[in-house]
Amino acid sequence: MSSLEVSTATGASGPVLVLAGEADFTAITRLDEALTAQISGQAVQLTIDAANLRYADSASMRTLVMAAMKARTRAGSVTLLDPQPAVARMLDLLCIDEMFSIRHRTAGDAHPAGG
């Protein structure tokens, strides 16, 4: 069983997908379904809150990239918020960090509702 927790919240610029735990091959279907639900339809500015995502394997990263590509075809974008060092390192190693807008909260930023 996957140790990935997925929830949604509403952010200032659009939906926020909150990921926590570890995203590995056992979580691919759940991750893909959550991403697809958020980016289907019109242009969307999706934020993925990765502050509590401790690990993401290459299969999970591929799922995130596919979602970012799908959002771009609809004139949207995907922002990764506060990726943990291990996740940021994986993005860098796979040379896919440019696929996302990566943002870090400042001390004054509030967490999204529910997060």
Side-chain angles (χ1 to χ4, degrees):
M1 189 72 183
S2 169
S3 66
L4 178 67
E5 296 175 27
V6 180
S7 60
T8 56
T10 302
S13 61
V16 177
L17 191 63
V18 182
L19 303 179
E22 298 182 358
D24 60 19
F25 70 96
T26 64
I28 294 302
T29 301
R30 200 153 127 233
L31 181 60
D32 185 53
E33 288 171 353
L35 288 164
T36 299
Q38 295 302 318
I39 60 176
S40 59
Q42 69 273 20
V44 66
Q45 307 302 319
L46 175 63
T47 298
I48 298 174
D49 185 338
N52 294 309
L53 182 64
R54 295 183 307 270
Y55 172 79
D57 69 2
S58 59
S60 299
M61 289 294 177
R62 180 182 185 281
T63 302
L64 292 173
V65 167
M66 298 304 287
M69 290 171 64
K70 189 173 186 179
R72 282 184 180 184
T73 64
R74 293 184 166 95
S77 66
V78 176
T79 298
L80 289 178
L81 180 61
D82 286 333
Q84 291 284 320
V87 173
R89 176 95 172 112
M90 182 66 91
L91 290 166
D92 186 49
L93 286 172
L94 295 172
C95 300
I96 57 173
D97 46 338
E98 296 87 24
M99 293 295 300
F100 308 95
S101 179
I102 297 176
R103 190 167 63 86
H104 296 279
R105 287 184 186 99
T106 60
D109 285 352
H111 286 268

